[in-house]
Amino acid sequence: MVMLSPLRLLFITWFALWLAGCDSGAGRAVTVEFWAMGQEGEQVKALLPEFERRHPGIRVRVQQIPWSAAHEKLLTAHAGDAMPDAFQLGNTWIPEFVALRAIEPLDPRLRDWPEAALADYFPGILATNRLAGQTFALPWYVDTRLFFYRSDLLTAAGFPEPPVTWDGWLRAMTALKAQGDEKHYAILLPIDEWQLPVILALQRGATLLRDRDQYGNFRDPRFRDAFTFYLNLFARGLAPPVGNSQMANLYREFASGTFAIYVSGPWNIGEFGRRLPAALQPHWNTAPLPDFADASLSSPGERSGARAAGVSLAGGASLALSRNSPRREAAWLLLEFLAEPEQQARFYQLTGDLPARQSAWNDPALTGNRHAQAFREQLQHLRATPPIPEWERIASRIAYYAELAIRQELSADEALAALDRDVDRILEKRRWLLSQGLVP
């Protein structure tokens, strides 16, 4: 729990008493409007009785918003001066809402936190909430991508332990492919997703954008190497050229052995536990993504487990305050409450969302989950996408041109040249603002 300074504690006590008033208090309570997405908007309600018990002068009204509508609804609310007091944001949305001046910087409030509290966040995740040296949101839960794999099929292919380099995984995938017919593959990589090409590029040290994020940098040799590696997974027949909508039931296909490896996020821990047959439950696991270093390691050396994970994406959701809310003090108390390690551990039990606070991972529900341990390791090795409002549009173009290259409608060089051209157009306004000395 965050320790407060005596002056801060005195203020909060006075504030709560003032809210409660001299009479019954319930009718005079301040109501904090809180918007949350998907199942989080439903499950967070279970935490709120404890918050309202601690702060009897505050009530929280939660509005649950579907993820598919959340971005548009928040933008509309901002345009109409109808923002909630506190709200959930995907952390790749933060730069956009900072540019709109829709969220309040938190650093003046965080000065009352002990240094250890901020250090308790996974560094790569906390970094996605900071722009230009300021903190604009608090990580609520974390998300990243790694391998889900069939341990029985990997063992049968001669790999009783998961490899730790891409060279090792390529040999394992080749062995897996050789064991099946033409309708069986080693790995599923939906071709309408942008994440793995970007992860591979970040592992190669690519910057994605250049010149203060004003231009695409996708023809850089490091990105091209990563992109070629990605395309070769399809060219060698290790991955099927299908998108998410073309895979009728990935859990059934995983169970039947159509593919043995899948790059996905923590939400699938629960889905695999629910949807895979009971007989298969002991035979799947998770592993951190490898890196490209020391690709010449032999199999015995690989299986020593000495190498660190390769980087993956820093994802998840954060909590922010509306800059124009008249109830920011009460809303901040809610954010502090939801940031407590105890609340994050309980939220994990309710939702399966992984805590952003490292100390929350000491909860038995997490230490006893073998599938979560690879995520704990992977979360120490994260990189963020460029912190600019245009990133969502850029990501969709990466997926678009990657699919064209996989289907061999464009060569790798043609796809990357077209991607650079599109991204340069997307960033045209950013260049103009910077040329005027303005902050995009």
Side-chain angles (χ1 to χ4, degrees):
M1 183 181 296
V2 175
M3 299 298 294
L4 302 176
S5 66
L7 183 60
R8 174 72 169 158
L9 188 59
L10 180 62
F11 172 78
I12 290 172
T13 302
W14 171 86
F15 181 66
L17 290 173
W18 177 80
L19 290 172
C22 300
D23 50 17
S24 64
R28 302 180 61 181
V30 167
T31 298
V32 171
E33 295 284 347
F34 177 48
W35 288 6
M37 310 347 171
Q39 70 159 343
E40 288 81 15
E42 179 63 31
Q43 299 298 338
V44 73
K45 296 174 185 176
L47 305 181
L48 298 180
E50 170 60 17
F51 172 77
E52 293 179 351
R53 184 193 66 79
R54 295 190 201 176
H55 304 285
I58 305 174
R59 297 291 179 266
V60 181
R61 182 160 54 221
V62 179
Q63 182 170 345
Q64 183 183 12
I65 305 172
W67 271 108
S68 58
H71 186 261
E72 184 69 22
K73 190 170 178 65
L74 283 167
L75 289 177
T76 301
H78 173 69
D81 197 22
M83 290 288 280
D85 304 302
F87 51 97
Q88 177 184 352
L89 275 178
N91 60 17
T92 59
W93 300 356
I94 293 173
E96 180 178 11
F97 284 82
V98 170
L100 292 171
R101 295 182 59 81
I103 54 181
E104 179 173 282
L106 301 180
D107 296 284
R109 303 174 187 278
L110 291 172
R111 292 192 189 105
D112 288 327
W113 281 30
E115 186 176 337
L118 280 178
D120 193 29
Y121 285 99
F122 288 102
I125 294 294
L126 185 60
T128 67
N129 291 258
R130 288 176 163 164
L131 280 80
Q134 293 189 86
T135 306
F136 286 93
L138 290 179
W140 193 14
Y141 61 83
V142 293
D143 180 10
T144 192
R145 302 213 172 194
L146 46 61
F147 281 141
F148 287 68
Y149 68 93
R150 285 279 300 272
S151 55
D152 56 341
L153 297 182
L154 212 61
T155 298
F159 293 81
E161 296 293 334
V164 294
T165 65
W166 277 112
D167 182 67
W169 276 103
L170 279 177
R171 287 188 282 107
M173 290 181 205
T174 302
L176 285 164
K177 177 64 177 177
Q179 288 188 323
D181 58 28
E182 62 180 11
K183 295 183 179 179
H184 286 74
Y185 299 87
I187 186 169
L188 176 65
L189 302 170
I191 61 176
D192 47 3
E193 294 184 352
W194 59 268
Q195 284 84 358
L196 189 59
V198 168
I199 289 169
L200 293 170
L202 294 175
Q203 290 190 355
R204 287 291 197 189
T207 59
L208 308 182
L209 306 176
R210 62 181 175 87
D211 297 344
R212 298 175 66 191
D213 296 332
Q214 295 183 82
Y215 298 93
N217 199 31
F218 299 102
R219 283 174 287 182
D220 179 273
R222 293 166 295 182
F223 192 95
R224 190 188 186 285
D225 286 349
F227 194 63
T228 301
F229 179 91
Y230 174 73
L231 297 179
N232 280 338
L233 296 173
F234 298 91
R236 294 171 58 175
L238 301 177
V242 297
N244 281 302
S245 62
Q246 295 169 282
M247 182 64 61
N249 189 318
L250 73 88
Y251 306 101
R252 185 184 304 129
E253 301 297 339
F254 185 77
S256 68
T258 301
F259 60 93
I261 307 165
Y262 181 44
V263 178
S264 191
W267 62 88
N268 260 323
I269 294 178
E271 293 297 316
F272 275 48
R274 286 186 291 271
R275 299 194 185 204
L276 296 181
L280 191 59
Q281 290 299 331
H283 303 299
W284 70 273
N285 210 339
T286 56
L289 292 180
D291 64 14
F292 287 103
D294 297 332
S296 61
L297 280 175
S298 63
S299 295
E302 285 173 3
R303 292 195 284 266
S304 70
R307 284 208 49 77
V311 300
S312 190
L313 288 173
S318 301
L319 299 171
L321 294 180
S322 171
R323 182 184 287 267
N324 296 324
S325 167
R327 293 168 289 275
R328 289 193 298 276
E329 291 299 331
W332 172 244
L333 294 177
L334 175 63
L335 263 61
E336 286 191 305
F337 172 79
L338 294 175
E340 293 174 0
E342 297 83 359
Q343 304 307 323
Q344 294 207 345
R346 190 177 173 207
F347 198 55
Y348 162 74
Q349 296 173 38
L350 292 168
T351 64
D353 293 334
L354 300 180
R357 296 283 293 269
Q358 297 184 66
S359 59
W361 285 72
N362 297 325
D363 186 270
L366 276 158
T367 58
N369 187 335
R370 66 187 178 92
H371 301 116
Q373 298 314 304
F375 280 95
R376 186 172 194 173
E377 181 179 353
Q378 188 68 73
L379 288 166
Q380 301 290 348
H381 306 277
L382 300 181
R383 287 279 302 279
T385 53
I388 59 172
E390 300 89 350
W391 175 252
E392 297 286 337
R393 294 170 61 197
I394 292 171
S396 70
R397 303 314 289 169
I398 294 171
Y400 174 76
Y401 285 111
E403 180 172 349
L404 292 181
I406 290 166
R407 297 192 185 281
Q408 299 183 348
E409 297 179 30
L410 292 176
S411 69
D413 288 331
E414 289 170 337
L416 296 180
L419 178 57
D420 267 339
R421 287 195 298 270
D422 280 11
V423 171
D424 288 352
R425 284 194 290 268
I426 290 171
L427 296 174
E428 186 174 8
K429 181 179 179 181
R430 177 178 181 81
R431 292 194 296 276
W432 182 85
L433 289 170
L434 288 172
S435 72
Q436 303 299 310
L438 302 174
V439 177

